[in-house]
Amino acid sequence: MIFNVRNYGAAGDGSHNDTQAIQTAIDDCHARGGGKVLLEGGHVYRSGALVLRSHVELHLEMGAVLKASSQLEDFDLFKSGFRPPAKSSVPSYTNCEYAGGPVLYFLYAKDCEYISITGDGTIDGNEEIYHGTVTPWHIDGSFYPRMPLIFLEHTEHLTLRQVTLTKSAFWTVHMVGCNDVLIDGIRILNSLNMANCDGIDPDHCQNVRIANCHIQCADDCIVFKNTLHAMQYGPCENISVSNCTLISTSAAIKFGTESEAPFRNITIQNCNISRSNRGISLQLRDKGCIENVTFSGLNIDTRLFSPDHWWGKAEPIAITALKRKEDTALGHIHNITFENINCAGENGILIYGDEASDIRDIRFRNVTLRLTEKTSWPKGVMDLRPCIDEGIRQDSLHMVSAHNAHNITMEDFRYCADPEMEALMGDAFHITDCEGFVI
């Protein structure tokens, strides 16, 4: 059955608030056993928070835009009396600890099954209403955390297909404790300046397939999370990512930093990463672990974006394990494989663990690395943020820098540096406190 929101009173003129009409169509669809809630093309539907229901497909035709309201109170779904907090004196790139529970919502679902968001239309988060400090390289949010574009908790059999998601001011697709997820062929087109507007964040999720997507966003494109807020949902596991194109001002693929439970049995393959501040980043900062992960068939192109605003210094691959706080019980990183990967950019591979860490059994097979200058930003900097001590450290350029990591094997590893980068080089392999490092 098709439930056209225009038949429920939605104006679709870009100015009237259509929240009630769209919500009534969703509720009616659910009550009648399920079907398709249709947003016709050629219309802009302005809306506040919407609650999705089981057995409902929200379908946006080509030319349909579902655009977030410009009134923050329209997203206070649970009527908490939300008021934006006073702007923090500490920017979000310095301190952005987040337990995983937002206070504002746009598209929301919890304890549901068989939800789909499909079509060739667009969902627009209206990011401009969240702008705080603006510089040519970075836009900080006016408060933190802000509203995710889509927040889905404890949902079984979830599908996102084809839609375009744009102008999110915070995590775009945040899935918490979801199982059997298919994300196929979507576009996420966010600002490359807006802080914290991650692309896809599977958080304590299982059996997830992400394929054929194009994502460009500030911070991270696809980032696996295990937040403290959702520990009841278990690990992030049994996940595959394939055939995606990714552009990011932080990491294209990231694990963490919220890492309170295990990440395991994850494959990333046949993806192209371009114009990113980091390619792959494993950032363990909590008691969880990262294990049994394979990266294969990737092209990684990295560049620096600014000295301070974004975590990362153009490393194609960065593996770090550091205590978030003095009393953190830090987990481990084990059994990680990188194979058939081409890297080109402004820094080398970084592997770094603090005294409490356990990084081991890391394998590189058929990896090519070329250091090439792409920007005028300072080179030879190590970025370990977030961490207890100073996170930005001056260093020489290295092809591989490894500290306190064990049983690392590099087989058929080829590397070179353009002349302007070679002049900045220290040792090609800078290895300290590592047992079993084999080339």
Side-chain angles (χ1 to χ4, degrees), residues 112-165:
C112 294
E113 63 177 4
Y114 294 103
I115 286 178
S116 297
I117 302 173
T118 66
D120 295 305
T122 298
I123 302 175
D124 183 334
N126 196 15
E127 67 149 71
E128 292 86 354
I129 67 173
Y130 299 94
H131 283 187
T133 303
V134 178
T135 76
W137 311 282
H138 180 266
I139 301 172
D140 211 351
S142 54
F143 59 93
Y144 186 96
R146 297 177 294 284
M147 181 186 74
L149 194 72
I150 300 173
F151 183 91
L152 305 162
E153 182 173 356
H154 194 221
T155 297
E156 298 270 336
H157 318 304
L158 168 66
T159 300
L160 276 68
R161 182 179 281 121
Q162 288 184 259
V163 294
T164 295
L165 310 176

Side-chain angles (χ1 to χ4, degrees), residues 176-206:
V176 183
C178 295
N179 178 53
D180 182 12
V181 176
L182 174 63
I183 301 178
D184 187 9
I186 73 168
R187 295 174 176 87
I188 297 179
L189 307 176
N190 287 340
S191 166
L192 286 175
N193 285 8
M194 184 70 208
N196 315 118
C197 65
D198 295 355
I200 302 172
D201 294 66
D203 184 357
H204 295 275
C205 291
Q206 295 88 42

Side-chain angles (χ1 to χ4, degrees), residues 258-274:
E258 294 82 1
S259 47
E260 296 286 349
F263 305 92
R264 58 190 176 214
N265 306 336
I266 298 173
T267 61
I268 316 290
Q269 59 185 346
N270 302 335
C271 293
N272 288 308
I273 297 169
S274 61

Side-chain angles (χ1 to χ4, degrees), residues 226-265:
N226 281 313
T227 57
L228 185 62
H229 182 77
M231 290 296 287
Q232 69 270 29
Y233 297 122
C236 227
E237 64 181 356
N238 303 333
I239 297 171
S240 69
V241 177
S242 61
N243 304 322
C244 293
T245 50
L246 308 171
I247 300 169
S248 167
T249 49
S250 195
I253 302 284
K254 191 172 92 170
F255 292 64
T257 62
E258 294 82 1
S259 47
E260 296 286 349
F263 305 92
R264 58 190 176 214
N265 306 336

